[in-house]
Every structure is written in structure tokens, then in C-alpha cells.
Amino acid sequence: MPYKVNVIIEKDENGYFAYCPEFKECQTKGDSLEEVKTKIKEVIELYLETLPDDERKEYQSKEILTTMLEVQDS
């Protein structure tokens, strides 16, 4: 069953870091954007396999909203 999950990817001087807010255990890093996207998908799929069916269904109903805000530095 396909799932839609939120993934945050951050870039720094060492490459890329990705994590999934719904599954705090799911995080990884990679040298390129494509690598980190592939790796985080694998991590999430493996994690979902460990969950009981009722927990998987609970996560399907969660929704996380994100937005970008412009803030000023004091």
C-alpha cells in the first residue's frame, strides 16, 4: 500500500541530511540529493515493515502542514 509522508532534506557542507517528521527514527544522509532521496525512501519502507498493521493505519491518517515564513533578524 503506498504511503505519502513528509521528508525534510537539508543541505550543508557535508552533503544532504534527510528525515521524516512522522517517523522520528527515520533519518539518513547522502552526498547528493538523489542519493539521500533514495536512501530515505528505503529507510521509511523498512521502518513501515516493522510496524503492526494498526500502527501503519494510524500513520496514514496523520497530516503535517508545512509552510515557509519570512522572518527578520533583530
Side-chain angles (χ1 to χ4, degrees):
M1 171 181 295
Y3 287 84
K4 288 186 178 182
V5 297
N6 293 289
V7 172
I8 309 297
I9 299 174
E10 299 175 357
K11 184 179 185 324
D12 63 19
E13 65 276 354
N14 298 314
Y16 293 85
F17 174 73
Y19 63 96
C20 177
E22 289 99 330
F23 309 123
K24 301 206 184 317
E25 301 83 353
C26 296
Q27 42 189 288
T28 190
K29 59 184 180 175
D31 294 327
S32 70
L33 182 58
E34 284 307 311
E35 178 185 14
V36 80
K37 286 167 61 176
T38 299
K39 289 172 77 174
I40 193 65
K41 183 177 177 185
E42 291 171 356
V43 168
I44 294 167
E45 288 171 344
L46 288 171
Y47 181 72
L48 286 171
E49 288 178 12
T50 69
L51 295 177
D53 287 340
D54 58 330
E55 275 189 61
R56 261 187 255 140
K57 289 178 184 170
E58 179 184 329
Y59 280 113
Q60 275 186 302
S61 65
K62 287 187 177 184
E63 182 177 354
I64 294 179
L65 303 173
T66 60
T67 188
M68 296 287 289
L69 298 175
E70 184 175 319
V71 296
Q72 294 187 12
D73 189 11
S74 305

